[in-house]
Amino acid sequence: MAAISREEVAHLARLSRLAVTDEELDRFAGQLDVILQSVARIGDVAADDIPPTSHSVPLTNVYRDDVVQPCLQQDDVLAGAPDAAEGRFRVPRILDEEE
Amino acid sequence: MSTTVLPSYEDATARYEPVIGLETHVELGTNTKMFCGCPTEFGAEPNTQVCPVCLALPGALPVANRAGIEATIRIGLALNCDIAEWCRMARKNYFYPDMPKNFQTSQYDEPLCTDGYVDVEIDGETVRIGIERVHLEEDTGKTLHVGGATGRIHGATESLVDYNRAGIPLVEIVTKPVPGIGAKAPEVAKAYVTELRDIIRSLGVSDVRMEQGSLRCDVNTSLNLPGEEWGTRTETKNVNSLRSVERAVRSEIIRQASVLDAGGRITQETRHFQEDTGDTRPGRSKETATDYRYFPEPDLVPIAPDRAWVAELKASLPERPSVKRARLREEWGISALDMQSVANAGAVELIEQTIAAGASPAGARKWWMGELARRANETGVELAEVGATPAQVAQLQALVDEGKLNDKLARTVLEGVVAGEGDPAQVMAARGLGVVSDTGALQAAVDEAIAANPDIAAKIRDGKVAAAGALVGAVMKTTRGQADAKTVRDLILARLS
Amino acid sequence: MSDVTRMTAAQIAGLIASGETSAVEVATAHLDRIAAVDERVHAFLHVDREGALAAAADVDARRSRGEELGPLAGVPVAVKDVIATKGIPTTAASKILEGWKPPYDATLVERLRGAGTVMLGKTNMDEFAMGSSTEYSAYGPTNNPWDLGRIPGGSGGGSAASLAAYEAPLAIGTDTGGSIRQPGAVTGTVGAKPTYGGTSRYGLIAFSSSLDTPGPCARTVEDAALLHAVIGGHDPRDSTSIPQPVPDVVAAARLGATGDLTGVKLGVVKEFAGEGAEPGVIAAFRESVEALVKLGAEVVEVSCPHFEYALPAYYLIAPSEASSNLARFDGVRYGLRSGDDGKRSLEEVMSLTRDEGFGPEVKRRIILGTYALSSGYYDAYYGQAQKVRTLITRDFTSAFEQVDVLISPTTPFVAFPFGSRTADPYQMYLSDLYTIPTNLYGGPAISVPCGLSEGLPVGFQIMAPTMADDRMYRVAAALESAVGTLTPPEL
């Protein structure tokens, strides 16, 4: 049984904002299936009562003081922008609110 | 679109039981953003309050603002919540151009504060609103839609993005569902948001102004038949004033009742409140909602508030606004209704401070709720920013009490104060205002008036004291209003008795 | 004077400090070497000749004024292109960032500048540090100076190759699953992954935030330690930075170089001592263990039962974090935008930009990570991987109750020919089989050359407890004193 279908890969690509071609989809579906089959054995580890680790350093409560720091100049902010107008980043029309 | 006949509100609530819930976002008034040192001031030139972190430049990393954490905990404590001993920020992943990282740093299943409540009073009855959670997240940038008819997203040909607001701390406060309030649901919703606003304002952590977006509200509403399970809820967004909170719940109850009456079913969806018509319109359907793929934010370490610190924050909470209002009402000797107007005008602290600066409760309230409230209303600013301070108002009232200003002059002086001409005494001096206290000069003016109006003087001599008013008016005219009316009257009566 | 490009960083620094040569002469010699050989090696994506000469001239001027300079003042360094350098192109070897010039410096770049090192340029790598061969660079692979037809390791193949090609005496790498150590192993150079949090990530373009660790690359253990000391230490701009000083790694390296390991207990990771590795790699590893025993070390075998699950855990955690970290590359604020014809929507333009801007391995991992985090799969994949991470950490903790450091080969195989592992991504992933557990644990580890197999370098890995980076330097320097450094064939 395949771990992941071509349709699932297409859905994930949409969710990830990747306009993959049909050819890419075919290739990735096969490769991801191999990878997922290989990593699936992680489920063999009995770990029900094991706490998860999200951070390898045992730090907590790292804060900064509420003190203003210098900002970037607007010119520098927009220098790398693909498109800008009126001091803002210009983007094509937005289809919907959010997916 | 729909030809359904809408039931009346009374009819709808007689047959269906509403359940409401509220999600409120509060923009904190910290000096800097939540994860970087950029300032949070409103109204700066676009993209001038940004840095590598809040622009999500490759390589930049967040560091949490202590003040944001503290403010969230204080809000949680003020809402009677439990404060987590250990929790993490999480990434909420979705693409949208106003969100530079294309994920929002937020909290998911480990909110900082949980399980609290707020009590509100409706017609002398206390309704307890449960608080599900209070969590910390960050605001997005602002998008300007160009080329459309009304600056809306629909029909726009392009959009322009400004990230000045991106990363400003937001606190989200989510209530538990509130059942069993029947027809009072709209009122309860409004009372809750009002109370929440007052509590947060009393904490000094946000200016909580709905019209500027520092307090934003989403309202969940569902209906069910008595004895049956709760219905499917809708979420109404774009509710931008206290009045709208009430209207949104009310109109959604009527709409849902009409759908149910027609045998339809309620779709779980996001709706948008329309300020002009007072009804709600459908937005994005929740059934196709995205998978946000939340996971613990690896760039920020867990938050584990020290218990002693939390206890200290709890001990230093200000007096709860409802308790404070009850106390002040007593002290000031005013009605519940009057106290409500004072609170609604945002004048409680201003009046309190004015009294502390020496004014009488009546005097302080008169100026803030009268002349100054009117000006604030006219110019569309908050009362606190109208241009006069409690100390100045107290001084003004003192000048009146000492007889140096009469009411009319005091209003003129207040105009000068609001215009930025200085304290009342300075305005008086600079504009040459003030009651004529030189009795010699005043006596001369009185004599002149008597001489000029022999008929009236005769009437007064005959005992028609009421006629004195005409002579007082004449004297006031010659002294250009700068006399104390009572003194003038006394002088006239003394002369003619 | 002999060729400065063949010298160690410590030697170069000594010559500059004593006035026998100038920083400008040293920089020029390296820039000339780059000009001569980099067409064949392709270690660099960008060479900053002007900036390097200016920085070198500044060091010379300061020295002539009698200013006190740091131990690496005037020494050239190459920086992996995943690290933000103000005003200097930074691409992470991706097309999506082509031409991007950061308006800020990474913390470690500030520290390099502050220490008077001379940055030569930016080195090649697998796109966004995802890969083990540099074949996934959008700008073409780097060739291994030992055999130009073979991979230099990855992701930091450019940094490692620049050292082996004598283009730079020092380089900066980043290690998420072995990207410093594995290239070090296959190019016969030294690569150290510091304790996570011991070097700042501020300015490092994130691949997997909870694993990424910048660190030093060099031709000798002492040089690596000197560079480690310059870039390490607490940074308030990185919330995960450890607020303690880095242990004295330079002193530890010098102690190790005396060749005495009496009283040091080494643990051979049982699970990594045989299976899966090439025979030549195992042979070189075993000979080195014997050499260490001769220096007085005690060697025992230690079992780390969960290490076999490190690779699957890594290939769930790292892509998950990457899928989120790389969301910011959307063609709005910087970098590539494609398909904006005035008709397409933002959503379409974003998707076209990302499809065109990212290479195949990056896309595979974004999709894999998106999958592992989706509701319905989260618990079985990402969640389970985080639990296994705890178990791997426990394996390390209990191992370090028995031994001072753990040892293994760095990578199961020597440099392989181009194209031999790209068809099946999982075969490529096996390159990092031995290096990944350390990243999941967060401790330090170093790869040091330990001999040849079929004429190609083999790396020896030493893993130490968190914040005990000094221990691995001591053992590494001792091994280096016993087996010597490796010299690649002339280019």
Side-chain angles (χ1 to χ4, degrees):
Chain A
M1 195 191 81
I4 190 163
S5 68
R6 191 178 186 278
E7 288 66 38
E8 272 181 293
V9 175
H11 168 72
L12 293 167
R14 268 196 305 280
L15 208 54
S16 317
R17 291 275 194 270
L18 290 169
V20 290
T21 61
D22 283 351
E23 182 269 323
E24 277 180 308
L25 209 50
D26 290 336
R27 191 153 35 91
F28 288 162
Q31 289 169 334
L32 288 166
D33 192 51
V34 172
I35 296 167
L36 280 170
Q37 306 266 12
S38 310
V39 299
R41 67 194 174 85
I42 194 144
D44 300 346
V45 184
D48 282 354
D49 52 347
I50 304 298
T53 297
S54 53
H55 299 75
S56 61
V57 279
L59 294 169
T60 53
N61 300 328
V62 174
Y63 306 128
R64 61 181 180 82
D65 292 333
D66 188 21
V67 176
V68 173
Q69 300 296 322
C71 299
L72 291 169
Q73 297 292 315
Q74 195 194 57
D75 291 351
D76 291 334
V77 169
L78 299 173
D83 198 356
E86 299 170 35
R88 296 172 171 91
F89 294 91
R90 198 201 73 87
V91 298
R93 70 194 163 85
I94 302 166
L95 265 189
D96 48 21
E97 281 182 280
E98 60 184 61
E99 196 193 330
Chain B
M1 201 169 67
S2 169
T3 54
T4 325
V5 180
L6 294 178
S8 73
Y9 178 74
E10 290 69 24
D11 179 31
T13 51
R15 289 180 294 114
Y16 296 102
E17 291 182 349
V19 178
I20 59 167
L22 293 106
E23 287 177 26
T24 312
H25 285 91
V26 174
E27 204 175 77
L28 295 181
T30 47
N31 296 325
T32 65
K33 295 186 179 180
M34 191 55 225
F35 301 112
C36 65
C38 288
T40 53
E41 272 159 55
F42 188 77
E45 285 294 301
N47 293 305
T48 55
Q49 297 188 344
V50 290
C51 73
V53 178
C54 57
L55 272 178
L57 295 189
L61 293 173
V63 182
N65 182 347
R66 183 184 284 103
I69 305 281
E70 181 177 310
T72 309
I73 295 175
R74 291 183 69 219
I75 291 173
L77 289 170
L79 303 179
N80 305 294
C81 288
D82 298 331
I83 307 304
E85 301 209 354
W86 188 92
C87 67
R88 291 173 294 189
M89 301 302 292
R91 292 188 183 179
K92 180 182 183 180
N93 294 286
Y94 64 97
F95 285 85
Y96 205 71
D98 63 7
M99 206 169 48
K101 300 183 296 260
N102 284 320
F103 63 77
Q104 184 189 32
T105 307
S106 179
Q107 292 194 283
Y108 180 47
D109 49 358
E110 299 168 10
L112 194 43
C113 323
T114 50
D115 200 23
Y117 63 85
V118 173
D119 287 337
V120 295
E121 211 160 286
I122 304 289
D123 302 335
E125 210 178 293
T126 300
V127 178
R128 175 157 292 190
I129 316 278
I131 300 293
E132 178 79 36
R133 57 187 284 155
V134 175
H135 81 237
L136 182 58
E137 59 186 36
E138 60 181 336
D139 212 343
T140 59
K142 275 187 181 164
T143 309
L144 203 68
H145 304 297
V146 183
T150 52
R152 290 203 184 145
I153 193 164
H154 294 293
T157 52
E158 59 179 46
S159 298
L160 299 173
V161 196
D162 166 19
Y163 293 107
N164 281 350
R165 198 181 65 179
I168 292 182
L170 277 186
V171 170
E172 182 176 319
I173 301 152
V174 184
T175 69
K176 293 174 183 170
V178 188
I181 46 173
K184 285 180 187 168
E187 254 183 290
V188 170
K190 184 187 172 191
Y192 163 74
V193 179
T194 308
E195 181 68 12
L196 189 65
R197 183 196 64 177
D198 291 349
I199 290 174
I200 292 168
R201 186 176 283 158
S202 78
L203 295 172
V205 295
S206 169
D207 55 7
V208 279
R209 286 156 73 165
M210 290 189 92
E211 70 283 2
Q212 278 198 6
S214 56
L215 179 73
R216 299 169 224 163
C217 202
D218 303 338
V219 187
N220 295 329
T221 314
S222 73
L223 292 186
N224 59 273
L225 288 167
E228 293 195 355
E229 277 187 23
W230 291 351
T232 304
R233 66 188 168 91
T234 60
E235 183 182 12
T236 305
K237 288 184 180 287
N238 197 32
V239 188
N240 295 328
S241 70
L242 289 171
R243 189 165 158 262
S244 300
V245 171
E246 194 170 10
R247 290 170 77 206
V249 175
R250 195 182 166 91
S251 77
E252 190 55 15
I253 287 174
I254 295 172
R255 187 193 69 82
Q256 289 190 15
S258 80
V259 173
L260 295 171
D261 283 349
R265 62 179 202 91
I266 304 300
T267 317
Q268 186 172 341
E269 63 183 352
T270 299
R271 302 183 63 87
H272 292 273
F273 181 69
Q274 310 296 313
E275 198 72 52
D276 45 356
T277 59
D279 59 9
T280 69
R281 290 191 197 149
R284 180 168 51 95
S285 171
K286 271 247 163 139
E287 279 167 345
T288 59
T290 190
D291 181 349
Y292 290 123
R293 288 158 286 134
Y294 283 100
F295 71 102
E297 165 59 283
D299 285 329
L300 291 164
V301 303
I303 301 164
D306 178 61
R307 294 294 101 181
W309 182 47
V310 172
E312 203 178 293
L313 292 176
K314 190 169 187 174
S316 63
L317 284 179
E319 188 179 14
R320 191 170 300 275
S322 54
V323 174
K324 180 176 180 172
R325 281 199 301 274
R327 175 176 60 79
L328 292 177
R329 193 160 82 73
E330 195 87 354
E331 286 175 20
W332 299 350
I334 62 173
S335 72
L337 201 66
D338 282 345
M339 192 66 217
Q340 197 53 56
S341 350
V342 168
N344 288 346
V348 178
E349 275 73 30
L350 295 168
I351 293 172
E352 206 188 2
Q353 287 160 20
T354 306
I355 294 167
S360 66
R365 196 160 64 87
K366 182 183 80 182
W367 292 114
W368 285 110
M369 295 304 291
E371 198 65 16
L372 290 169
R374 188 182 56 75
R375 278 195 73 92
N377 204 24
E378 277 170 14
T379 48
V381 299
E382 292 280 307
L383 196 51
E385 277 143 46
V386 78
T389 65
Q392 287 169 332
V393 174
Q395 191 186 66
L396 185 76
Q397 183 59 34
L399 290 167
V400 173
D401 292 343
E402 289 162 19
K404 291 181 180 157
L405 285 178
N406 58 26
D407 241 44
K408 184 165 176 287
L409 285 173
R411 276 201 291 277
T412 311
V413 169
L414 190 57
E415 258 172 45
V417 171
V418 168
E421 293 168 27
D423 288 340
Q426 291 170 312
V427 176
M428 255 178 86
R431 290 202 185 183
L433 301 169
V435 171
V436 178
S437 53
D438 175 353
T439 25
L442 213 50
Q443 191 65 62
V446 166
D447 291 345
E448 196 182 306
I450 291 172
N453 300 282
D455 299 351
I456 298 170
K459 280 181 185 170
I460 297 169
R461 282 198 191 92
D462 291 348
K464 288 184 178 167
V465 178
L471 288 185
V472 172
V475 174
M476 294 305 278
K477 199 170 177 186
T478 52
T479 57
R480 300 200 328 276
Q482 299 189 7
D484 179 53
K486 191 176 173 297
T487 311
V488 172
R489 190 183 161 86
D490 289 349
L491 286 172
I492 293 167
L493 295 180
R495 199 54 120 197
L496 299 176
S497 64
Chain C
M1 189 174 51
S2 54
D3 183 358
V4 290
T5 64
R6 304 287 160 142
M7 293 180 186
T8 67
Q11 288 167 337
I12 293 169
L15 291 178
I16 293 172
S18 67
E20 285 168 74
T21 187
S22 70
V24 169
E25 283 173 320
V26 170
T28 306
H30 285 93
L31 290 164
D32 290 349
R33 173 74 182 171
I34 293 168
V37 304
D38 207 51
E39 208 172 304
R40 280 171 286 158
V41 179
H42 193 227
F44 285 86
L45 291 178
H46 179 82
V47 177
D48 184 23
R49 190 177 185 98
E50 212 172 292
L53 290 173
D58 183 53
V59 169
D60 288 337
R62 283 163 60 195
R63 198 185 61 79
S64 68
R65 286 197 299 268
E67 283 180 37
E68 197 168 317
L69 301 174
L72 289 177
V75 178
V77 57
V79 175
K80 190 177 179 181
D81 202 37
V82 74
I83 288 168
T85 45
K86 189 174 181 174
I88 295 168
T90 301
T91 68
S94 180
K95 210 171 154 186
I96 212 160
L97 270 182
E98 188 162 9
W100 183 60
K101 290 180 181 173
Y104 77 106
D105 268 333
T107 296
L108 75 85
V109 172
E110 280 181 359
R111 290 184 183 175
L112 287 173
R113 292 190 203 282
T117 65
V118 173
M119 196 182 74
L120 296 171
K122 307 297 289 289
T123 57
N124 199 12
M125 54 187 280
D126 288 292
E127 184 180 2
F128 286 106
M130 297 179 190
S132 306
S133 68
T134 74
E135 288 165 290
Y136 293 128
S137 167
Y139 305 101
T142 296
N143 303 315
N144 192 326
W146 285 81
D147 177 345
L148 296 174
R150 287 173 187 268
I151 60 105
S155 66
S159 282
S162 75
L163 302 171
Y166 300 104
E167 294 170 295
L170 295 173
I172 296 294
T174 62
D175 194 310
T176 306
S179 286
I180 288 176
R181 290 163 288 162
Q182 183 259 5
V186 301
T187 58
T189 58
V190 177
K193 175 218 172 288
T195 296
Y196 178 89
T199 43
S200 169
R201 291 187 296 119
Y202 189 82
L204 158 59
I205 301 177
F207 158 20
S208 178
S209 310
S210 77
L211 303 167
D212 295 342
T213 314
C217 311
R219 288 191 295 265
T220 69
V221 175
E222 186 193 16
D223 281 2
L226 286 165
L227 185 55
H228 190 149
V230 165
I231 61 171
H234 183 242
D235 177 14
R237 289 187 292 190
D238 175 358
S239 302
T240 60
S241 173
I242 296 172
Q244 284 163 32
V246 171
D248 193 343
V249 291
V250 176
R254 287 176 183 156
L255 173 63
T258 61
D260 182 7
L261 285 180
T262 310
V264 177
K265 204 166 174 184
L266 314 177
V268 175
V269 180
K270 189 177 132 199
E271 288 75 10
F272 290 169
E275 272 174 72
E278 291 171 350
V281 168
I282 294 171
F285 174 70
R286 290 198 177 141
E287 277 169 36
S288 303
V289 172
E290 278 163 32
L292 291 171
V293 171
K294 282 189 192 138
L295 298 179
E298 187 189 339
V299 178
V300 296
E301 197 173 71
V302 178
S303 176
C304 297
H306 297 98
F307 278 19
E308 67 165 304
Y309 297 101
L311 195 70
Y314 175 86
Y315 277 100
L316 291 166
I317 293 169
S320 294
E321 292 183 2
S323 70
S324 175
N325 283 330
L326 270 60
R328 67 185 60 192
F329 301 100
D330 59 4
V332 172
R333 291 161 302 281
Y334 39 77
L336 180 77
R337 177 185 291 184
S338 43
D340 187 4
D341 59 359
K343 294 189 201 100
R344 289 196 178 97
S345 70
L346 173 68
E347 289 77 1
E348 291 170 294
V349 170
M350 256 189 203
S351 301
L352 288 167
T353 299
R354 288 165 62 79
D355 190 56
E356 188 188 324
F358 290 140
E361 181 62 17
V362 172
K363 284 188 262 194
R364 268 194 295 273
R365 294 201 196 185
I366 288 174
I367 293 172
L368 180 59
T370 303
Y371 178 77
L373 288 175
S374 333
S375 64
Y377 296 106
Y378 183 96
D379 290 340
Y381 289 113
Y382 183 78
Q384 177 76 357
Q386 298 281 49
K387 290 177 171 184
V388 168
R389 189 170 184 181
T390 306
L391 291 169
I392 288 166
T393 299
R394 288 182 185 174
D395 280 359
F396 271 106
T397 312
S398 73
F400 290 131
E401 282 165 10
Q402 305 162 55
V403 297
D404 295 309
V405 295
L406 289 171
I407 54 175
S408 77
T410 305
T411 175
F413 21 85
V414 294
F416 46 85
F418 286 112
S420 60
R421 287 177 190 266
T422 41
D424 179 353
Y426 203 75
Q427 285 304 308
M428 184 75 84
Y429 297 173
L430 290 172
S431 303
D432 297 332
L433 191 62
Y434 303 153
T435 46
I436 279 172
T438 302
N439 295 83
L440 293 170
Y441 158 58
I446 191 168
S447 176
V448 60
C450 71
L452 298 175
S453 165
E454 294 167 32
L456 292 165
V458 175
F460 186 99
Q461 178 178 229
I462 302 149
M463 297 164 265
T466 49
M467 287 309 272
D469 305 48
D470 47 344
R471 278 192 215 174
M472 71 181 186
Y473 277 102
R474 181 179 173 195
V475 177
L479 181 61
E480 182 182 71
S481 75
V483 305
T485 54
L486 299 177
T487 305
E490 286 301 320
L491 281 168

